[in-house]
Amino acid sequence: MSAPLDLPRWADTVLVPAISVTAAFLVAGLVVLAIGENPLTATRWLLQGSLGTGEGLGFTLFYMTDFIFVGLAVAVAFHAGLFNIGGEGQATLAGLGIALVLNNFTFLPGFLLIPLGILGAAAFGAMWAAIPGYLQAKRGSHIVITTIMFNWLASVLIVYLLVNVLREPQSMNPETRAFPEQSYIPFMHDVFAAFGVEIPNSQLNLTLVLALAAAYFVWLLIYRSRLGFAIRVVGSNPSAAVYAGISPARIIIIAMVLSGALAGGLAVNELMGYQHRLLLEFTSGYGFVGIAVALMGRAHPVGIILASLLFGILYQGGAELAFEQPAITRDMVVVIGGIIILFAGALDGLFRRLVAHLFTRQKLARA
């Protein structure tokens, strides 16, 4: 995931994805035109629904928070040469950790219970990711295969627990009882109201601040620490890492543990910040979106934040677009997202070479 030698880091992190996204939207515009709709009108509704109102912006940032966490989770594994596609399962187990902590320590005050819930999410997510990491490091089991399997195992496990163990006896819904009120992460509109500022109500909560802090932590870890250097060396050349005295097996396990802990942030945002109970399928496929976010963001925290905002716009604006222009269904919005992923992933090398060529020509012209 490192930048080419002849391309500045900022260009690889920002410029290349921007060109990829622009090209993707041009192609998506042709798709919209093909079904008889105006692409400019569709774009206007997409932006109006996601950024044009305070409520829409709040929902966009709420989705962005989820995508930042899972994007960072995938990115940390990327840097170690691992393709962790188990974010869904790791976030699901993180939700279980939250429920066990919050519903068993109801006597604690909020300033203790909220951090414990976050730690419970991180611990369960890390534990669920550590097993595939260990199997890859010690047994040679491919991380892609094991993380896919663990996604399904997490799904089956959570269904069993919610139906047979954790569900309230008087309820028919497969969900836990509500978490204690002091464990709720405050909504942004409540925080602003405390300072006399009124903003529209939305699902957005203070977990956004935690997500941005996590992005800064990952930047410090990967680019400003000895552990981060070891992770990048193992990801680039495991043989060279061995000669440098770095244990690839140890780094693989550590990277997966960190990745799973970060994926747990999705559960924090959804359960402690909004749903306030553990329920089925709260991850909504966001763990898989994190793969696209990490690819588009070049596994760099800044790029991941920008890519998360883009997908937040697509998710929130897509709902408004489908309402205002029924011919463009939610499935069509998924197609647009798929086109963006195609251009940011499969065609990434094409745009990178194009930008590198332009930079080379500019250098030669100056010389």
Side-chain angles (χ1 to χ4, degrees):
M1 299 297 293
S2 59
L5 295 178
D6 56 349
L7 196 60
R9 182 71 188 182
W10 70 267
D12 187 62
T13 304
V14 178
L15 184 58
V16 174
I19 294 174
S20 301
V21 170
T22 302
F25 271 105
L26 288 175
V27 173
L30 295 177
V31 174
V32 172
L33 195 62
I35 64 173
E37 295 291 332
N38 188 329
L40 296 179
T41 303
T43 302
R44 179 171 66 84
W45 283 120
L46 186 73
L47 296 177
Q48 175 69 22
S50 57
L51 303 175
T53 64
E55 182 183 16
L57 178 60
F59 279 91
T60 297
L61 294 178
F62 175 78
Y63 294 130
M64 171 185 166
T65 303
D66 286 334
F67 299 146
I68 288 175
F69 279 119
V70 290
L72 292 172
V74 174
V76 169
F78 271 173
H79 282 292
L82 305 168
F83 194 35
N84 175 20
I85 59 176
E88 282 282 301
Q90 291 147 24
T92 298
L93 262 290
L96 176 62
I98 289 174
L100 293 177
V101 169
L102 298 187
N103 282 338
N104 285 286
F105 292 91
T106 56
F107 55 88
L108 291 176
F111 71 90
L112 290 178
L113 197 54
I114 289 176
L116 280 178
I118 295 172
L119 289 175
F124 273 65
M127 175 271 296
W128 201 246
I131 302 172
Y134 174 84
L135 293 174
Q136 167 83 34
K138 300 295 186 180
R139 301 298 179 186
S141 302
H142 201 287
I143 200 73
V144 171
I145 302 301
T146 53
T147 49
I148 289 174
M149 291 172 60
F150 271 64
N151 281 340
W152 287 103
L153 289 173
S155 177
V156 172
L157 176 63
I158 206 68
V159 169
Y160 172 79
L161 291 176
L162 285 177
V163 171
N164 298 289
V165 180
L166 299 176
R167 178 172 58 89
E168 286 190 280
Q170 67 273 22
S171 172
M172 294 297 293
N173 296 323
E175 59 186 33
T176 64
R177 69 177 185 273
F179 299 152
E181 192 170 341
Q182 70 269 26
S183 69
Y184 297 176
I185 293 178
F187 288 111
M188 281 294 190
H189 55 261
D190 291 332
V191 174
F192 276 81
F195 293 94
V197 179
E198 295 295 327
I199 63 173
N201 292 1
S202 71
Q203 299 173 358
L204 181 63
N205 57 81
L206 281 179
T207 311
L208 173 62
V209 178
L210 182 63
L212 296 176
Y216 181 63
F217 164 77
V218 170
W219 178 79
L220 288 177
L221 170 72
I222 297 298
Y223 300 105
R224 291 294 185 272
S225 73
R226 293 178 62 184
L227 176 59
F229 176 74
I231 288 174
R232 286 184 288 133
V233 170
V234 170
S236 300
N237 192 328
S239 299
V242 173
Y243 277 104
I246 300 170
S247 169
R250 173 177 170 270
I251 293 300
I252 286 172
I253 295 173
I254 291 175
M256 286 300 294
V257 165
L258 292 172
S259 182
L262 287 165
L266 190 161
V268 173
N269 186 46
E270 289 286 337
L271 301 185
M272 295 180 65
Y274 172 54
Q275 301 286 358
H276 303 143
R277 57 175 50 81
L278 176 61
L279 66 166
L280 292 178
E281 298 180 354
F282 69 87
T283 55
S284 301
Y286 299 153
F288 297 114
V289 177
I291 300 171
V293 168
L295 285 171
M296 185 175 295
R298 300 298 182 274
H300 190 285
V302 174
I304 286 170
I305 291 173
L306 295 176
S308 298
L309 176 60
L310 172 63
F311 277 91
I313 290 172
L314 282 175
Y315 266 67
Q316 174 57 25
E320 184 75 15
L321 177 60
F323 178 78
E324 296 293 341
Q325 292 186 272
I328 304 177
T329 64
R330 290 304 299 266
D331 292 334
M332 283 293 300
V333 177
V334 173
V335 169
I336 294 172
I339 293 173
I340 292 175
I341 294 171
L342 172 66
F343 276 73
L347 301 180
D348 170 72
L350 173 65
F351 296 110
R352 183 182 279 112
R353 285 192 297 271
L354 174 63
V355 173
H357 177 68
L358 293 176
F359 271 87
T360 301
R361 287 188 60 181
Q362 186 181 37
K363 289 179 182 179
L364 292 175
R366 289 178 178 177

